[in-house]
Amino acid sequence: AQSVTQLGSHVSVSEGALVLLRCNYSSSVPPYLFWYVQYPNQGLQLLLKYTTGATLVKGINGFEAEFKKSETSFHLTKPSAHMSDAAEYFCAVSEGGGADGLTFGKGTHLIIQP
Amino acid sequence: EADIYQTPRYLVIGTGKKITLECSQTMGHDKMYWYQQDPGMELHLIHYSYGVNSTEKGDLSSESTVSRIRTEHFPLTLESARPSHTSQYLCASSEGTGAYEQYFGPGTRLTVT
């Protein structure tokens, strides 16, 4: 069975500072990994995904994530935080195969301090 | 741009009422999903569908039911709403499984009094 652990339910950074949101996964097969963002009262929007190939993945809004198989991690980073980045961020894993949905982490609420 | 719609966006209803949450997508996706999300918690898959006339239960047990009569439409029904059903319900669709992105609707926030 697959699972996702996001360290830190809340992360607070200053505007302009580095954003680092941590995600570790467990999977019995090579995983597909996703980061989604959720703004208040909205659905989820895909930030980026890792399927195969290059382990450093670039997404929208200046975010990127690196797949590290040895550490079973897929941490999300952004060099310089902006006020508009304040939102809930979810890491998710899929093992492929059938139509099963994604397995999500509990989410990390990102707070941007002015 | 993803075109997946959910109605209503907000619903407050009394215990015992029957409700149907609507979800429609215009992308022609075969795969559709329903997730339940409590405040500050992760999303849990409650139903999914491979295509027309296909419905399956997800990881989280739910008293709701779904139907898939048309590709674009995947409604969720609660025959008798209870306060424990209070939650946010998110609908999603995807072109395929595994590496394929899931597109999410805006969600329905349900409150049962």
Side-chain angles (χ1 to χ4, degrees), chain A residues 32 36 38 41 43-44 46 49 51 90 94 96-102 105-106, chain B residues 9-10 33 35 37 42-43 45 48 50 88 90 97-99 101-102 104-106:
Chain A
Y32 300 118
Y36 282 86
Q38 185 179 33
N41 299 316
L44 277 68
L46 182 71
K49 67 178 182 181
T51 55
F90 291 93
S94 169
D100 293 3
L102 300 171
K106 292 183 183 293
Chain B
R9 292 292 313 277
Y10 304 91
Y33 311 84
Y35 292 89
Q37 181 186 28
E42 68 266 51
L43 285 74
L45 181 69
Y48 61 96
Y50 292 89
Q88 171 150 269
L90 290 164
T97 60
E101 172 185 357
Q102 291 188 15
F104 283 80

PDB file of all heavy atoms in Angstrom, chain A residues 32 36 38 41 43-44 46 49 51 90 94 96-102 105-106, chain B residues 9-10 33 35 37 42-43 45 48 50 88 90 97-99 101-102 104-106:
ATOM      1  N   TYR A  32       4.491   7.459  -9.108  1.00  0.00           N
ATOM      2  CA  TYR A  32       4.307   8.745  -9.749  1.00  0.00           C
ATOM      3  C   TYR A  32       3.961   9.717  -8.616  1.00  0.00           C
ATOM      4  O   TYR A  32       3.135   9.416  -7.766  1.00  0.00           O
ATOM      5  CB  TYR A  32       3.164   8.698 -10.761  1.00  0.00           C
ATOM      6  CG  TYR A  32       3.382   7.693 -11.855  1.00  0.00           C
ATOM      7  CD1 TYR A  32       2.505   6.618 -12.030  1.00  0.00           C
ATOM      8  CD2 TYR A  32       4.469   7.797 -12.724  1.00  0.00           C
ATOM      9  CE1 TYR A  32       2.694   5.683 -13.029  1.00  0.00           C
ATOM     10  CE2 TYR A  32       4.663   6.864 -13.721  1.00  0.00           C
ATOM     11  CZ  TYR A  32       3.784   5.809 -13.872  1.00  0.00           C
ATOM     12  OH  TYR A  32       3.983   4.892 -14.867  1.00  0.00           O
ATOM     13  N   TYR A  36       0.075  19.331  -5.424  1.00  0.00           N
ATOM     14  CA  TYR A  36      -1.082  20.147  -5.755  1.00  0.00           C
ATOM     15  C   TYR A  36      -1.147  21.321  -4.779  1.00  0.00           C
ATOM     16  O   TYR A  36      -0.724  21.219  -3.624  1.00  0.00           O
ATOM     17  CB  TYR A  36      -2.381  19.344  -5.627  1.00  0.00           C
ATOM     18  CG  TYR A  36      -2.681  18.411  -6.779  1.00  0.00           C
ATOM     19  CD1 TYR A  36      -2.158  17.119  -6.808  1.00  0.00           C
ATOM     20  CD2 TYR A  36      -3.510  18.812  -7.826  1.00  0.00           C
ATOM     21  CE1 TYR A  36      -2.454  16.258  -7.857  1.00  0.00           C
ATOM     22  CE2 TYR A  36      -3.811  17.960  -8.872  1.00  0.00           C
ATOM     23  CZ  TYR A  36      -3.283  16.691  -8.888  1.00  0.00           C
ATOM     24  OH  TYR A  36      -3.584  15.843  -9.940  1.00  0.00           O
ATOM     25  N   GLN A  38      -3.966  24.203  -3.134  1.00  0.00           N
ATOM     26  CA  GLN A  38      -5.377  24.500  -2.936  1.00  0.00           C
ATOM     27  C   GLN A  38      -5.524  25.860  -2.278  1.00  0.00           C
ATOM     28  O   GLN A  38      -5.083  26.049  -1.148  1.00  0.00           O
ATOM     29  CB  GLN A  38      -6.059  23.424  -2.086  1.00  0.00           C
ATOM     30  CG  GLN A  38      -7.556  23.611  -1.943  1.00  0.00           C
ATOM     31  CD  GLN A  38      -8.205  22.512  -1.107  1.00  0.00           C
ATOM     32  OE1 GLN A  38      -7.605  21.976  -0.173  1.00  0.00           O
ATOM     33  NE2 GLN A  38      -9.441  22.144  -1.451  1.00  0.00           N
ATOM     34  N   ASN A  41     -11.422  27.824  -0.541  1.00  0.00           N
ATOM     35  CA  ASN A  41     -12.708  27.628  -1.226  1.00  0.00           C
ATOM     36  C   ASN A  41     -12.551  27.278  -2.703  1.00  0.00           C
ATOM     37  O   ASN A  41     -13.424  27.596  -3.526  1.00  0.00           O
ATOM     38  CB  ASN A  41     -13.580  28.874  -1.076  1.00  0.00           C
ATOM     39  CG  ASN A  41     -13.886  29.179   0.375  1.00  0.00           C
ATOM     40  OD1 ASN A  41     -14.201  28.284   1.148  1.00  0.00           O
ATOM     41  ND2 ASN A  41     -13.739  30.442   0.756  1.00  0.00           N
ATOM     42  N   GLY A  43     -10.840  24.156  -5.633  1.00  0.00           N
ATOM     43  CA  GLY A  43     -10.337  22.805  -5.801  1.00  0.00           C
ATOM     44  C   GLY A  43      -8.824  22.792  -5.859  1.00  0.00           C
ATOM     45  O   GLY A  43      -8.166  23.795  -5.595  1.00  0.00           O
ATOM     46  N   LEU A  44      -8.269  21.632  -6.188  1.00  0.00           N
ATOM     47  CA  LEU A  44      -6.819  21.489  -6.249  1.00  0.00           C
ATOM     48  C   LEU A  44      -6.311  21.773  -7.646  1.00  0.00           C
ATOM     49  O   LEU A  44      -6.943  21.406  -8.645  1.00  0.00           O
ATOM     50  CB  LEU A  44      -6.416  20.065  -5.838  1.00  0.00           C
ATOM     51  CG  LEU A  44      -6.298  19.776  -4.353  1.00  0.00           C
ATOM     52  CD1 LEU A  44      -7.670  19.828  -3.681  1.00  0.00           C
ATOM     53  CD2 LEU A  44      -5.643  18.425  -4.124  1.00  0.00           C
ATOM     54  N   LEU A  46      -2.781  21.385 -10.084  1.00  0.00           N
ATOM     55  CA  LEU A  46      -1.492  20.713 -10.169  1.00  0.00           C
ATOM     56  C   LEU A  46      -0.360  21.733 -10.265  1.00  0.00           C
ATOM     57  O   LEU A  46      -0.377  22.626 -11.108  1.00  0.00           O
ATOM     58  CB  LEU A  46      -1.449  19.798 -11.386  1.00  0.00           C
ATOM     59  CG  LEU A  46      -0.161  18.995 -11.562  1.00  0.00           C
ATOM     60  CD1 LEU A  46      -0.070  17.911 -10.486  1.00  0.00           C
ATOM     61  CD2 LEU A  46      -0.090  18.367 -12.950  1.00  0.00           C
ATOM     62  N   LYS A  49       4.606  17.401 -11.429  1.00  0.00           N
ATOM     63  CA  LYS A  49       4.538  15.962 -11.234  1.00  0.00           C
ATOM     64  C   LYS A  49       5.826  15.309 -11.695  1.00  0.00           C
ATOM     65  O   LYS A  49       6.522  15.816 -12.582  1.00  0.00           O
ATOM     66  CB  LYS A  49       3.343  15.362 -11.981  1.00  0.00           C
ATOM     67  CG  LYS A  49       3.448  15.421 -13.492  1.00  0.00           C
ATOM     68  CD  LYS A  49       2.230  14.762 -14.145  1.00  0.00           C
ATOM     69  CE  LYS A  49       2.329  14.775 -15.663  1.00  0.00           C
ATOM     70  NZ  LYS A  49       1.139  14.146 -16.312  1.00  0.00           N
ATOM     71  N   THR A  51       7.109  11.618 -13.161  1.00  0.00           N
ATOM     72  CA  THR A  51       6.694  10.304 -13.668  1.00  0.00           C
ATOM     73  C   THR A  51       7.940   9.453 -13.883  1.00  0.00           C
ATOM     74  O   THR A  51       8.187   8.510 -13.145  1.00  0.00           O
ATOM     75  CB  THR A  51       5.886  10.436 -14.968  1.00  0.00           C
ATOM     76  OG1 THR A  51       6.646  11.179 -15.940  1.00  0.00           O
ATOM     77  CG2 THR A  51       4.590  11.182 -14.705  1.00  0.00           C
ATOM     78  N   PHE A  90      -0.543  20.001  -1.126  1.00  0.00           N
ATOM     79  CA  PHE A  90      -0.709  18.563  -0.938  1.00  0.00           C
ATOM     80  C   PHE A  90       0.257  17.795  -1.833  1.00  0.00           C
ATOM     81  O   PHE A  90       0.346  18.045  -3.031  1.00  0.00           O
ATOM     82  CB  PHE A  90      -2.134  18.121  -1.283  1.00  0.00           C
ATOM     83  CG  PHE A  90      -3.179  18.604  -0.320  1.00  0.00           C
ATOM     84  CD1 PHE A  90      -3.849  19.787  -0.564  1.00  0.00           C
ATOM     85  CD2 PHE A  90      -3.478  17.879   0.815  1.00  0.00           C
ATOM     86  CE1 PHE A  90      -4.821  20.240   0.318  1.00  0.00           C
ATOM     87  CE2 PHE A  90      -4.445  18.311   1.699  1.00  0.00           C
ATOM     88  CZ  PHE A  90      -5.120  19.503   1.454  1.00  0.00           C
ATOM     89  N   SER A  94       0.841   8.055  -6.751  1.00  0.00           N
ATOM     90  CA  SER A  94       0.052   7.088  -7.515  1.00  0.00           C
ATOM     91  C   SER A  94       0.983   5.958  -7.924  1.00  0.00           C
ATOM     92  O   SER A  94       2.115   6.201  -8.321  1.00  0.00           O
ATOM     93  CB  SER A  94      -0.546   7.747  -8.755  1.00  0.00           C
ATOM     94  OG  SER A  94      -1.084   6.776  -9.625  1.00  0.00           O
ATOM     95  N   GLY A  96       0.047   3.924 -10.316  1.00  0.00           N
ATOM     96  CA  GLY A  96      -0.303   3.548 -11.666  1.00  0.00           C
ATOM     97  C   GLY A  96      -1.252   2.373 -11.689  1.00  0.00           C
ATOM     98  O   GLY A  96      -1.946   2.092 -10.736  1.00  0.00           O
ATOM     99  N   GLY A  97      -1.314   1.700 -12.787  1.00  0.00           N
ATOM    100  CA  GLY A  97      -2.203   0.558 -12.904  1.00  0.00           C
ATOM    101  C   GLY A  97      -3.631   0.994 -13.089  1.00  0.00           C
ATOM    102  O   GLY A  97      -3.923   1.838 -13.899  1.00  0.00           O
ATOM    103  N   GLY A  98      -4.522   0.471 -12.300  1.00  0.00           N
ATOM    104  CA  GLY A  98      -5.958   0.679 -12.463  1.00  0.00           C
ATOM    105  C   GLY A  98      -6.407   2.099 -12.250  1.00  0.00           C
ATOM    106  O   GLY A  98      -5.635   3.038 -12.249  1.00  0.00           O
ATOM    107  N   ALA A  99      -7.680   2.270 -12.044  1.00  0.00           N
ATOM    108  CA  ALA A  99      -8.263   3.612 -11.972  1.00  0.00           C
ATOM    109  C   ALA A  99      -8.239   4.151 -10.571  1.00  0.00           C
ATOM    110  O   ALA A  99      -8.862   5.167 -10.315  1.00  0.00           O
ATOM    111  CB  ALA A  99      -9.692   3.587 -12.493  1.00  0.00           C
ATOM    112  N   ASP A 100      -7.519   3.526  -9.651  1.00  0.00           N
ATOM    113  CA  ASP A 100      -7.481   4.043  -8.279  1.00  0.00           C
ATOM    114  C   ASP A 100      -7.013   5.487  -8.269  1.00  0.00           C
ATOM    115  O   ASP A 100      -6.148   5.879  -9.046  1.00  0.00           O
ATOM    116  CB  ASP A 100      -6.526   3.212  -7.433  1.00  0.00           C
ATOM    117  CG  ASP A 100      -7.019   1.794  -7.226  1.00  0.00           C
ATOM    118  OD1 ASP A 100      -8.070   1.456  -7.788  1.00  0.00           O
ATOM    119  OD2 ASP A 100      -6.347   1.041  -6.521  1.00  0.00           O
ATOM    120  N   GLY A 101      -7.570   6.250  -7.350  1.00  0.00           N
ATOM    121  CA  GLY A 101      -7.192   7.648  -7.263  1.00  0.00           C
ATOM    122  C   GLY A 101      -5.845   7.834  -6.600  1.00  0.00           C
ATOM    123  O   GLY A 101      -5.127   6.890  -6.307  1.00  0.00           O
ATOM    124  N   LEU A 102      -5.520   9.076  -6.373  1.00  0.00           N
ATOM    125  CA  LEU A 102      -4.272   9.435  -5.729  1.00  0.00           C
ATOM    126  C   LEU A 102      -4.367   9.215  -4.220  1.00  0.00           C
ATOM    127  O   LEU A 102      -5.442   9.338  -3.637  1.00  0.00           O
ATOM    128  CB  LEU A 102      -3.955  10.899  -6.004  1.00  0.00           C
ATOM    129  CG  LEU A 102      -3.794  11.278  -7.478  1.00  0.00           C
ATOM    130  CD1 LEU A 102      -3.712  12.787  -7.621  1.00  0.00           C
ATOM    131  CD2 LEU A 102      -2.559  10.635  -8.060  1.00  0.00           C
ATOM    132  N   GLY A 105      -1.137  13.252   1.072  1.00  0.00           N
ATOM    133  CA  GLY A 105      -0.694  13.587   2.408  1.00  0.00           C
ATOM    134  C   GLY A 105      -1.708  14.492   3.076  1.00  0.00           C
ATOM    135  O   GLY A 105      -2.700  14.902   2.472  1.00  0.00           O
ATOM    136  N   LYS A 106      -1.470  14.793   4.348  1.00  0.00           N
ATOM    137  CA  LYS A 106      -2.421  15.601   5.126  1.00  0.00           C
ATOM    138  C   LYS A 106      -2.398  17.074   4.746  1.00  0.00           C
ATOM    139  O   LYS A 106      -3.233  17.837   5.188  1.00  0.00           O
ATOM    140  CB  LYS A 106      -2.144  15.453   6.620  1.00  0.00           C
ATOM    141  CG  LYS A 106      -2.455  14.058   7.164  1.00  0.00           C
ATOM    142  CD  LYS A 106      -2.230  14.014   8.667  1.00  0.00           C
ATOM    143  CE  LYS A 106      -2.458  12.635   9.218  1.00  0.00           C
ATOM    144  NZ  LYS A 106      -3.869  12.218   9.119  1.00  0.00           N
TER     145      LYS A 106
ATOM    146  N   ARG B   9     -22.061  24.777  -4.792  1.00  0.00           N
ATOM    147  CA  ARG B   9     -20.788  25.017  -4.136  1.00  0.00           C
ATOM    148  C   ARG B   9     -20.933  24.893  -2.628  1.00  0.00           C
ATOM    149  O   ARG B   9     -20.045  24.409  -1.942  1.00  0.00           O
ATOM    150  CB  ARG B   9     -20.262  26.418  -4.475  1.00  0.00           C
ATOM    151  CG  ARG B   9     -19.838  26.610  -5.918  1.00  0.00           C
ATOM    152  CD  ARG B   9     -18.588  25.778  -6.256  1.00  0.00           C
ATOM    153  NE  ARG B   9     -17.550  25.905  -5.257  1.00  0.00           N
ATOM    154  CZ  ARG B   9     -16.675  26.886  -5.184  1.00  0.00           C
ATOM    155  NH1 ARG B   9     -16.713  27.857  -6.078  1.00  0.00           N
ATOM    156  NH2 ARG B   9     -15.760  26.910  -4.235  1.00  0.00           N
ATOM    157  N   TYR B  10     -22.036  25.327  -2.105  1.00  0.00           N
ATOM    158  CA  TYR B  10     -22.311  25.246  -0.670  1.00  0.00           C
ATOM    159  C   TYR B  10     -23.740  24.721  -0.487  1.00  0.00           C
ATOM    160  O   TYR B  10     -24.638  25.120  -1.209  1.00  0.00           O
ATOM    161  CB  TYR B  10     -22.176  26.616   0.006  1.00  0.00           C
ATOM    162  CG  TYR B  10     -20.826  27.252  -0.204  1.00  0.00           C
ATOM    163  CD1 TYR B  10     -20.597  28.107  -1.283  1.00  0.00           C
ATOM    164  CD2 TYR B  10     -19.767  26.982   0.657  1.00  0.00           C
ATOM    165  CE1 TYR B  10     -19.358  28.678  -1.483  1.00  0.00           C
ATOM    166  CE2 TYR B  10     -18.525  27.552   0.462  1.00  0.00           C
ATOM    167  CZ  TYR B  10     -18.327  28.401  -0.612  1.00  0.00           C
ATOM    168  OH  TYR B  10     -17.093  28.963  -0.815  1.00  0.00           O
ATOM    169  N   TYR B  33     -13.542  10.700 -10.327  1.00  0.00           N
ATOM    170  CA  TYR B  33     -13.287  10.369  -8.934  1.00  0.00           C
ATOM    171  C   TYR B  33     -14.098  11.294  -8.029  1.00  0.00           C
ATOM    172  O   TYR B  33     -14.341  12.452  -8.368  1.00  0.00           O
ATOM    173  CB  TYR B  33     -11.807  10.554  -8.591  1.00  0.00           C
ATOM    174  CG  TYR B  33     -10.847   9.917  -9.554  1.00  0.00           C
ATOM    175  CD1 TYR B  33     -10.461  10.564 -10.724  1.00  0.00           C
ATOM    176  CD2 TYR B  33     -10.293   8.666  -9.291  1.00  0.00           C
ATOM    177  CE1 TYR B  33      -9.575   9.975 -11.623  1.00  0.00           C
ATOM    178  CE2 TYR B  33      -9.397   8.078 -10.177  1.00  0.00           C
ATOM    179  CZ  TYR B  33      -9.047   8.739 -11.337  1.00  0.00           C
ATOM    180  OH  TYR B  33      -8.168   8.157 -12.210  1.00  0.00           O
ATOM    181  N   TYR B  35     -13.659  12.606  -3.983  1.00  0.00           N
ATOM    182  CA  TYR B  35     -12.861  12.624  -2.762  1.00  0.00           C
ATOM    183  C   TYR B  35     -13.644  13.345  -1.672  1.00  0.00           C
ATOM    184  O   TYR B  35     -14.399  14.269  -1.938  1.00  0.00           O
ATOM    185  CB  TYR B  35     -11.539  13.373  -2.974  1.00  0.00           C
ATOM    186  CG  TYR B  35     -10.561  12.701  -3.887  1.00  0.00           C
ATOM    187  CD1 TYR B  35     -10.586  12.937  -5.259  1.00  0.00           C
ATOM    188  CD2 TYR B  35      -9.584  11.843  -3.385  1.00  0.00           C
ATOM    189  CE1 TYR B  35      -9.667  12.331  -6.102  1.00  0.00           C
ATOM    190  CE2 TYR B  35      -8.655  11.241  -4.222  1.00  0.00           C
ATOM    191  CZ  TYR B  35      -8.711  11.486  -5.582  1.00  0.00           C
ATOM    192  OH  TYR B  35      -7.805  10.892  -6.413  1.00  0.00           O
ATOM    193  N   GLN B  37     -12.995  15.545   1.850  1.00  0.00           N
ATOM    194  CA  GLN B  37     -11.936  16.285   2.532  1.00  0.00           C
ATOM    195  C   GLN B  37     -12.505  17.003   3.742  1.00  0.00           C
ATOM    196  O   GLN B  37     -13.307  17.923   3.615  1.00  0.00           O
ATOM    197  CB  GLN B  37     -11.295  17.312   1.581  1.00  0.00           C
ATOM    198  CG  GLN B  37     -10.160  18.091   2.226  1.00  0.00           C
ATOM    199  CD  GLN B  37      -9.623  19.195   1.329  1.00  0.00           C
ATOM    200  OE1 GLN B  37     -10.334  19.744   0.497  1.00  0.00           O
ATOM    201  NE2 GLN B  37      -8.348  19.521   1.489  1.00  0.00           N
ATOM    202  N   GLU B  42      -6.350  15.392   4.930  1.00  0.00           N
ATOM    203  CA  GLU B  42      -6.077  14.972   3.565  1.00  0.00           C
ATOM    204  C   GLU B  42      -7.350  14.578   2.837  1.00  0.00           C
ATOM    205  O   GLU B  42      -8.399  14.423   3.450  1.00  0.00           O
ATOM    206  CB  GLU B  42      -5.090  13.796   3.544  1.00  0.00           C
ATOM    207  CG  GLU B  42      -5.639  12.498   4.122  1.00  0.00           C
ATOM    208  CD  GLU B  42      -5.297  12.322   5.575  1.00  0.00           C
ATOM    209  OE1 GLU B  42      -5.556  13.274   6.361  1.00  0.00           O
ATOM    210  OE2 GLU B  42      -4.801  11.240   5.928  1.00  0.00           O
ATOM    211  N   LEU B  43      -7.242  14.411   1.554  1.00  0.00           N
ATOM    212  CA  LEU B  43      -8.359  13.952   0.742  1.00  0.00           C
ATOM    213  C   LEU B  43      -8.406  12.425   0.791  1.00  0.00           C
ATOM    214  O   LEU B  43      -7.366  11.758   0.757  1.00  0.00           O
ATOM    215  CB  LEU B  43      -8.183  14.388  -0.714  1.00  0.00           C
ATOM    216  CG  LEU B  43      -8.429  15.843  -1.056  1.00  0.00           C
ATOM    217  CD1 LEU B  43      -7.291  16.725  -0.574  1.00  0.00           C
ATOM    218  CD2 LEU B  43      -8.606  15.989  -2.557  1.00  0.00           C
ATOM    219  N   LEU B  45     -10.255   9.091  -1.104  1.00  0.00           N
ATOM    220  CA  LEU B  45     -11.029   8.628  -2.256  1.00  0.00           C
ATOM    221  C   LEU B  45     -12.228   7.828  -1.765  1.00  0.00           C
ATOM    222  O   LEU B  45     -12.079   6.876  -0.995  1.00  0.00           O
ATOM    223  CB  LEU B  45     -10.145   7.764  -3.146  1.00  0.00           C
ATOM    224  CG  LEU B  45     -10.792   7.213  -4.401  1.00  0.00           C
ATOM    225  CD1 LEU B  45     -11.072   8.342  -5.394  1.00  0.00           C
ATOM    226  CD2 LEU B  45      -9.883   6.160  -5.046  1.00  0.00           C
ATOM    227  N   TYR B  48     -14.860   5.942  -7.517  1.00  0.00           N
ATOM    228  CA  TYR B  48     -14.251   6.240  -8.798  1.00  0.00           C
ATOM    229  C   TYR B  48     -14.939   5.459  -9.898  1.00  0.00           C
ATOM    230  O   TYR B  48     -15.703   4.519  -9.627  1.00  0.00           O
ATOM    231  CB  TYR B  48     -12.739   5.982  -8.794  1.00  0.00           C
ATOM    232  CG  TYR B  48     -12.287   4.572  -8.514  1.00  0.00           C
ATOM    233  CD1 TYR B  48     -11.995   3.702  -9.545  1.00  0.00           C
ATOM    234  CD2 TYR B  48     -12.106   4.129  -7.205  1.00  0.00           C
ATOM    235  CE1 TYR B  48     -11.541   2.413  -9.293  1.00  0.00           C
ATOM    236  CE2 TYR B  48     -11.665   2.850  -6.935  1.00  0.00           C
ATOM    237  CZ  TYR B  48     -11.377   2.000  -7.986  1.00  0.00           C
ATOM    238  OH  TYR B  48     -10.936   0.730  -7.712  1.00  0.00           O
ATOM    239  N   TYR B  50     -14.319   4.002 -14.090  1.00  0.00           N
ATOM    240  CA  TYR B  50     -13.462   3.806 -15.258  1.00  0.00           C
ATOM    241  C   TYR B  50     -14.094   4.413 -16.512  1.00  0.00           C
ATOM    242  O   TYR B  50     -13.388   4.695 -17.482  1.00  0.00           O
ATOM    243  CB  TYR B  50     -13.262   2.323 -15.535  1.00  0.00           C
ATOM    244  CG  TYR B  50     -12.465   1.558 -14.511  1.00  0.00           C
ATOM    245  CD1 TYR B  50     -13.083   0.971 -13.422  1.00  0.00           C
ATOM    246  CD2 TYR B  50     -11.089   1.392 -14.646  1.00  0.00           C
ATOM    247  CE1 TYR B  50     -12.357   0.246 -12.489  1.00  0.00           C
ATOM    248  CE2 TYR B  50     -10.357   0.663 -13.726  1.00  0.00           C
ATOM    249  CZ  TYR B  50     -11.000   0.096 -12.650  1.00  0.00           C
ATOM    250  OH  TYR B  50     -10.286  -0.632 -11.736  1.00  0.00           O
ATOM    251  N   GLN B  88     -16.274  18.480   2.910  1.00  0.00           N
ATOM    252  CA  GLN B  88     -16.145  19.002   1.550  1.00  0.00           C
ATOM    253  C   GLN B  88     -15.963  17.824   0.620  1.00  0.00           C
ATOM    254  O   GLN B  88     -15.201  16.897   0.903  1.00  0.00           O
ATOM    255  CB  GLN B  88     -14.961  19.949   1.419  1.00  0.00           C
ATOM    256  CG  GLN B  88     -14.671  20.338  -0.036  1.00  0.00           C
ATOM    257  CD  GLN B  88     -14.073  21.715  -0.195  1.00  0.00           C
ATOM    258  OE1 GLN B  88     -14.766  22.717  -0.367  1.00  0.00           O
ATOM    259  NE2 GLN B  88     -12.752  21.764  -0.121  1.00  0.00           N
ATOM    260  N   LEU B  90     -14.949  16.728  -3.246  1.00  0.00           N
ATOM    261  CA  LEU B  90     -14.240  17.175  -4.443  1.00  0.00           C
ATOM    262  C   LEU B  90     -14.359  16.124  -5.536  1.00  0.00           C
ATOM    263  O   LEU B  90     -14.111  14.944  -5.298  1.00  0.00           O
ATOM    264  CB  LEU B  90     -12.762  17.421  -4.132  1.00  0.00           C
ATOM    265  CG  LEU B  90     -12.460  18.634  -3.256  1.00  0.00           C
ATOM    266  CD1 LEU B  90     -11.054  18.554  -2.709  1.00  0.00           C
ATOM    267  CD2 LEU B  90     -12.639  19.914  -4.039  1.00  0.00           C
ATOM    268  N   THR B  97      -4.803   6.812 -15.989  1.00  0.00           N
ATOM    269  CA  THR B  97      -4.412   6.570 -14.602  1.00  0.00           C
ATOM    270  C   THR B  97      -2.897   6.676 -14.466  1.00  0.00           C
ATOM    271  O   THR B  97      -2.192   6.923 -15.434  1.00  0.00           O
ATOM    272  CB  THR B  97      -4.867   5.169 -14.147  1.00  0.00           C
ATOM    273  OG1 THR B  97      -4.255   4.187 -14.995  1.00  0.00           O
ATOM    274  CG2 THR B  97      -6.375   5.040 -14.251  1.00  0.00           C
ATOM    275  N   GLY B  98      -2.414   6.475 -13.251  1.00  0.00           N
ATOM    276  CA  GLY B  98      -0.990   6.473 -13.002  1.00  0.00           C
ATOM    277  C   GLY B  98      -0.381   7.840 -13.134  1.00  0.00           C
ATOM    278  O   GLY B  98      -0.511   8.683 -12.249  1.00  0.00           O
ATOM    279  N   ALA B  99       0.298   8.103 -14.238  1.00  0.00           N
ATOM    280  CA  ALA B  99       1.033   9.352 -14.406  1.00  0.00           C
ATOM    281  C   ALA B  99       0.155  10.504 -14.869  1.00  0.00           C
ATOM    282  O   ALA B  99       0.621  11.634 -14.968  1.00  0.00           O
ATOM    283  CB  ALA B  99       2.162   9.145 -15.412  1.00  0.00           C
ATOM    284  N   GLU B 101      -2.453  13.486 -14.899  1.00  0.00           N
ATOM    285  CA  GLU B 101      -2.923  14.486 -13.956  1.00  0.00           C
ATOM    286  C   GLU B 101      -4.416  14.323 -13.712  1.00  0.00           C
ATOM    287  O   GLU B 101      -5.173  14.017 -14.630  1.00  0.00           O
ATOM    288  CB  GLU B 101      -2.657  15.875 -14.517  1.00  0.00           C
ATOM    289  CG  GLU B 101      -3.275  17.016 -13.716  1.00  0.00           C
ATOM    290  CD  GLU B 101      -3.070  18.346 -14.389  1.00  0.00           C
ATOM    291  OE1 GLU B 101      -2.413  18.398 -15.437  1.00  0.00           O
ATOM    292  OE2 GLU B 101      -3.596  19.347 -13.854  1.00  0.00           O
ATOM    293  N   GLN B 102      -4.841  14.534 -12.479  1.00  0.00           N
ATOM    294  CA  GLN B 102      -6.257  14.631 -12.159  1.00  0.00           C
ATOM    295  C   GLN B 102      -6.640  16.100 -12.094  1.00  0.00           C
ATOM    296  O   GLN B 102      -5.948  16.909 -11.476  1.00  0.00           O
ATOM    297  CB  GLN B 102      -6.575  13.935 -10.843  1.00  0.00           C
ATOM    298  CG  GLN B 102      -6.447  12.426 -10.936  1.00  0.00           C
ATOM    299  CD  GLN B 102      -6.951  11.718  -9.710  1.00  0.00           C
ATOM    300  OE1 GLN B 102      -7.648  12.273  -8.876  1.00  0.00           O
ATOM    301  NE2 GLN B 102      -6.618  10.430  -9.602  1.00  0.00           N
ATOM    302  N   PHE B 104      -9.361  18.841 -10.854  1.00  0.00           N
ATOM    303  CA  PHE B 104     -10.329  18.924  -9.768  1.00  0.00           C
ATOM    304  C   PHE B 104     -11.351  20.031 -10.010  1.00  0.00           C
ATOM    305  O   PHE B 104     -11.033  21.095 -10.532  1.00  0.00           O
ATOM    306  CB  PHE B 104      -9.619  19.199  -8.447  1.00  0.00           C
ATOM    307  CG  PHE B 104      -8.944  17.994  -7.879  1.00  0.00           C
ATOM    308  CD1 PHE B 104      -7.710  17.589  -8.348  1.00  0.00           C
ATOM    309  CD2 PHE B 104      -9.564  17.241  -6.887  1.00  0.00           C
ATOM    310  CE1 PHE B 104      -7.088  16.449  -7.833  1.00  0.00           C
ATOM    311  CE2 PHE B 104      -8.954  16.112  -6.369  1.00  0.00           C
ATOM    312  CZ  PHE B 104      -7.713  15.715  -6.836  1.00  0.00           C
ATOM    313  N   GLY B 105     -12.576  19.752  -9.580  1.00  0.00           N
ATOM    314  CA  GLY B 105     -13.590  20.779  -9.528  1.00  0.00           C
ATOM    315  C   GLY B 105     -13.401  21.639  -8.284  1.00  0.00           C
ATOM    316  O   GLY B 105     -12.542  21.351  -7.446  1.00  0.00           O
ATOM    317  N   PRO B 106     -14.224  22.686  -8.123  1.00  0.00           N
ATOM    318  CA  PRO B 106     -14.064  23.613  -7.002  1.00  0.00           C
ATOM    319  C   PRO B 106     -14.563  23.056  -5.676  1.00  0.00           C
ATOM    320  O   PRO B 106     -14.287  23.631  -4.627  1.00  0.00           O
ATOM    321  CB  PRO B 106     -14.882  24.818  -7.427  1.00  0.00           C
ATOM    322  CG  PRO B 106     -15.923  24.246  -8.324  1.00  0.00           C
ATOM    323  CD  PRO B 106     -15.277  23.122  -9.054  1.00  0.00           C
TER     324      PRO B 106
END
